[in-house]
Amino acid sequence: MGNSALKAHLETAQKTGVFQLTGKGLTEFPEDLQKLASNLRTIDLSNNKIEFLPPLIGKFSFLKSLALNNNKLTALPEELCKLKKLETLHLNGNHLRQLPAAFGQLSALKTLSLSGNQLRTVPTQLSGLRHLDVVDLSKNQIQNVPDTVGELQAIELNLNQNQISQISVQISHCPRLKVLRLEENCLELSMLPQSILSDSQISLLAVEGNLFEIKKLRELEGYDKYMERFTATKKKFA
């Protein structure tokens, strides 16, 4: 892409606070963007070929939304964690194996999408995020859900299409978790903590495509309690 085209995008972004440049075959994060570090509220560089995010991303202190879906990122810089106003982070379809150690410092984060990466576990850093509403970790290589998940503040957790065979019973302690998606994993019925049904806030549990028949779920202790929550929630949204 020519400089003049980028310049035009930068001029628009200066006025709107939005920089969107998708599907242009970019191989790196445009360094010229840092001139607008204090203007930008939204950056969308999805569907490019960006291999790494430079440390200068930490300068965008007013950024609320960052989207880098379908790029070639293998890691994220620690500097990303300085974005105290960031509310939405979309990183679907990259090659990420883990999150930066300081990821829990993204204190304003509400929506996090990491579908289609190479994560092997639910990142423990997520437990520190107090305003998290939706976490999408579908289509990764997650095999187990650790105890730290009990501190997760999310309302919806999507773990569809992973390789999960073990889930910590702590998941039923999540204070705000209403929607838990576990479709197409490797769960035996005996590995699904019954407390999810009997003693949690979860009102939508999606477990189709695992190693048990759905109707067997109805035989578990606590299923009637789960159905009460499920029905009450449905009425609320009807």
Side-chain angles (χ1 to χ4, degrees):
M1 189 184 67
N3 272 348
S4 56
L6 180 61
K7 207 171 162 191
H9 276 278
L10 288 169
E11 281 170 14
T12 308
Q14 192 163 4
K15 294 180 192 130
T16 61
V18 177
F19 185 83
Q20 188 177 27
L21 201 55
T22 58
K24 295 286 188 244
L26 291 182
T27 53
E28 49 190 56
F29 186 88
E31 288 214 345
D32 283 350
L33 271 187
Q34 61 185 319
K35 296 173 189 163
L36 300 178
S38 57
N39 291 61
L40 290 182
R41 303 292 184 269
T42 301
I43 295 177
D44 185 356
L45 294 166
S46 298
N47 304 313
N48 282 296
K49 295 173 181 170
I50 297 169
E51 288 180 28
F52 78 103
L53 200 53
L56 65 86
I57 190 68
K59 295 179 179 176
F60 293 84
S61 46
F62 296 97
L63 204 59
K64 283 193 166 184
S65 172
L66 177 60
L68 285 154
N69 295 324
N70 305 317
N71 275 282
K72 297 187 172 190
L73 299 171
T74 53
L76 300 169
E78 287 289 339
E79 286 80 1
L80 177 70
C81 309
K82 292 180 181 172
L83 303 180
K84 299 286 185 230
K85 290 194 159 58
L86 195 66
E87 294 177 7
T88 309
L89 181 57
H90 292 293
L91 295 162
N92 302 323
N94 280 283
H95 309 295
L96 299 169
R97 289 167 188 270
Q98 58 191 41
L99 298 179
F103 198 81
Q105 291 175 12
L106 289 170
S107 50
L109 204 60
K110 291 179 182 175
T111 304
L112 175 62
S113 303
L114 286 160
S115 180
N117 278 281
Q118 292 168 19
L119 299 172
R120 291 182 176 272
T121 184
V122 176
T124 53
Q125 297 94 316
L126 301 186
S127 301
L129 297 167
R130 293 279 160 250
H131 298 288
L132 212 48
D133 290 335
V134 179
V135 182
D136 185 355
L137 300 173
S138 61
K139 300 180 185 171
N140 276 280
Q141 295 161 17
I142 298 169
Q143 291 168 9
N144 69 332
V145 180
D147 287 349
T148 47
V149 76
E151 293 165 38
L152 190 68
Q153 298 289 326
I155 296 167
E156 176 169 345
L157 176 58
N158 185 344
L159 292 164
N160 289 346
Q161 295 178 312
N162 277 285
Q163 298 154 21
I164 296 167
S165 59
Q166 281 184 307
I167 299 177
S168 167
V169 67
Q170 296 295 329
I171 198 160
S172 49
H173 295 166
C174 289
R176 300 168 68 213
L177 192 61
K178 299 276 196 286
V179 179
L180 178 57
R181 301 186 187 278
L182 287 161
E183 295 179 14
E184 295 177 51
N185 276 285
C186 309
L187 281 168
E188 305 268 358
L189 190 58
S190 59
M191 297 313 277
L192 191 71
Q194 291 196 7
S195 56
I196 288 178
L197 299 171
S198 61
D199 192 23
S200 79
Q201 302 288 322
I202 295 165
S203 56
L204 177 64
L205 176 65
V207 286
E208 287 79 5
N210 279 281
L211 307 178
F212 59 87
E213 290 180 58
I214 285 296
K215 61 173 187 262
K216 293 270 191 246
L217 193 64
R218 297 177 203 141
E219 294 162 20
L220 289 185
E221 201 178 328
Y223 185 77
D224 50 344
K225 280 191 169 173
Y226 162 68
M227 280 314 291
E228 280 173 23
R229 295 192 304 272
F230 176 82
T231 313
T233 309
K234 272 206 129 154
K235 279 189 185 136
K236 214 189 298 184
F237 292 112

